[in-house]
């Protein structure tokens, strides 16, 4: 069937830790099942957390000991791909019949990656995408992904791809994903701004694909009992704004400003061919006689051992 229900679960990381966040997600099981959603997208860094306003004790040229302690705690709250938290969510996927795409902070050795995980019913984790370019001071704590984790996943909903937060502003990354035939563009994020919503509509219109943008929600510093430099104590750290967009840039649901909830919309993937009739940026509109894109999908390890 080409018609289906898809959803964005707007939710925030629980400051009590990753297991508490998993519990909060599982609490939506009945809602997800009742909605009939075959795909549920969740925000960036949902498991592991997005430490907005934290500087990890870093100044240009030196690091403070307390920053190392902050990073150690952050590392402890990250997840392993074969860990119990993602196993629980694989169970949720199987019980509800919904594919899950969610943002996690992934541990790999002593490094962390901001990662989008694809979980399929009865199959568990089928793919992951590591954020290619952490933004600004995110580079203090997250490693860069490489071209080996840029999947387009076949699912009951259609061909799924993911771009995390400001990766969505990388034109060549978008082109590569369009060329892989992405039909539903999943955008886990923590960007709550109105201009972000404009970007989501642009990507849907440019790529002639459905876009599901899912943003975290976080309390105000006053509610958390903390002070964040240069941030209003009564302004939420992250305000949501999740939305679902059709392939001509029309908003189908949202934006959902503030609050935790399940945002749903019915989509029809049969619309994609009609939408691409006059614009296919990797097909009849691409001008390969002038422009070309080379994509290196080889894993890039810092150490390569060549055996005899």
């Amino acid at each position: 069937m080409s018609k289906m229900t898809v959803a964005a679960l707007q939710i925030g990381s629980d400051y009590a830790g990753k297991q508490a966040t998993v519990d909060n997600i599982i609490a939506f099981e009945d809602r997800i099942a009742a909605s009939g959603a075959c795909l549920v997208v969740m925000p960036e860094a949902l498991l592991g957390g997005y430490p907005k306003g934290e500087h990890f004790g870093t100044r240009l040229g030196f690091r403070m000991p307390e920053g190392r302690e902050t990073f150690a705690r952050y590392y402890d709250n990250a997840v392993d791909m074969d860990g119990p938290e993602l196993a629980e969510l694989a169970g949720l996927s199987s019980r509800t019949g919904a594919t899950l795409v969610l943002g996690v902070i992934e541990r790999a050795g002593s490094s962390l990656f901001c990662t989008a995980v694809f979980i399929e019913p009865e199959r568990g984790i089928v793919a992951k995408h590591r954020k290619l370019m952490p933004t600004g001071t995110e580079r203090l704590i997250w490693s860069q992904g490489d071209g080996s984790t840029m999947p387009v996943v076949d699912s009951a909903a259609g061909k799924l791809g993911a771009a995390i937060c400001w990766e969505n502003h990388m034109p060549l990354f978008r082109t590569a994903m369009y060329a892989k035939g992405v039909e539903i563009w999943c955008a886990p994020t923590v960007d709550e701004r109105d201009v972000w919503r404009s970007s989501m509509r642009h990507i849907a219109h440019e790529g002639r694909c459905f876009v599901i943008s899912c943003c975290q929600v976080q309390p105000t510093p006053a509610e958390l009992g903390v002070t964040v430099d240069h941030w209003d104590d009564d302004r939420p750290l992250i305000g949501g704004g999740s939305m679902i967009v059709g392939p001509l840039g029309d908003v189908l649901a949202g934006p959902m400003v503030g609050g935790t909830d399940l945002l749903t919309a019915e989509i029809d993937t049969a619309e994609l061919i009609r939408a691409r009739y006059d614009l296919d940026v990797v097909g009849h509109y691409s001008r390969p006689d002038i422009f070309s894109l080379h994509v290196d999908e080889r894993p890039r390890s810092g150490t390569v051992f060549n055996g005899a």
Side-chain angles (χ1 to χ4, degrees), residues 5-286:
T5 298
V6 298
L9 177 54
Q10 180 165 289
I11 193 171
S13 304
D14 196 308
Y15 280 73
K18 56 189 174 183
Q19 185 56 54
T21 302
V22 170
D23 294 342
N24 294 340
I25 297 169
I26 298 292
F28 275 86
E29 180 171 341
D30 291 345
R31 288 279 308 278
I32 293 170
S35 74
C38 62
L39 169 65
V40 179
V41 179
M42 301 181 216
E44 177 184 18
L46 181 58
L47 294 185
Y50 189 83
K52 188 163 182 176
E54 177 59 64
H55 53 73
F56 289 87
T58 295
R59 300 292 186 272
L60 188 63
F62 66 97
R63 270 71 53 202
M64 301 295 291
E66 56 266 30
R68 297 185 187 278
E69 294 300 322
T70 302
F71 180 77
R73 290 192 297 271
Y74 188 58
Y75 180 90
D76 286 342
N77 195 49
V79 300
D80 301 311
M81 295 302 292
D82 59 354
E85 300 84 13
L86 290 177
E88 282 194 62
L89 295 183
L92 173 66
S93 173
S94 294
R95 292 191 300 273
T96 59
T99 298
L100 307 180
V101 179
L102 71 146
V104 306
I105 303 305
E106 174 199 356
R107 282 192 295 228
S110 298
S111 295
L112 300 177
F113 291 88
C114 182
T115 298
V117 179
F118 297 77
I119 301 176
E120 282 278 297
E122 310 302 334
R123 297 172 62 200
I125 297 172
V126 295
K128 68 180 180 183
H129 165 60
R130 288 174 168 174
K131 194 173 188 177
L132 296 175
M133 179 52 68
T135 300
T137 51
E138 291 174 356
R139 296 169 206 170
L140 288 171
I141 53 174
W142 297 341
S143 301
Q144 293 178 338
D146 60 30
S148 68
T149 65
M150 292 169 46
V152 166
V153 174
D154 285 311
S155 76
K159 295 181 181 297
L160 311 178
I164 304 169
C165 208
W166 276 23
E167 282 187 314
N168 286 271
H169 298 322
M170 299 174 70
L172 300 185
F173 177 60
R174 296 202 307 269
T175 301
M177 298 300 287
Y178 298 152
K180 289 188 172 191
V182 63
E183 296 174 333
I184 303 178
W185 184 283
C186 305
T189 190
V190 294
D191 194 333
E192 63 180 14
R193 300 170 305 155
D194 181 67
V195 70
W196 171 262
R197 300 164 201 168
S198 298
S199 290
M200 295 299 94
R201 296 188 66 186
H202 167 76
I203 289 170
H205 189 260
E206 175 185 73
R208 293 303 205 253
C209 54
F210 292 95
V211 170
I212 305 175
S213 170
C214 192
C215 186
Q216 278 212 42
V217 283
Q218 288 293 337
T220 67
E223 291 171 316
L224 292 170
V226 300
T227 298
V228 177
D229 291 344
H230 309 295
W231 195 265
D232 187 334
D233 288 344
D234 295 318
R235 177 185 172 187
L237 285 169
I238 308 175
S242 301
M243 63 193 300
I244 302 172
V245 188
L248 292 178
D250 300 322
V251 177
L252 305 179
M256 181 192 297
V257 179
T260 297
D261 207 348
L262 188 71
L263 181 72
T264 64
E266 183 178 80
I267 68 171
D268 185 354
T269 54
E271 294 179 13
L272 296 174
I273 291 299
R274 299 183 184 96
R276 294 170 183 173
Y277 159 62
D278 54 357
L279 181 67
D280 179 0
V281 293
V282 291
H284 62 75
Y285 223 85
S286 64

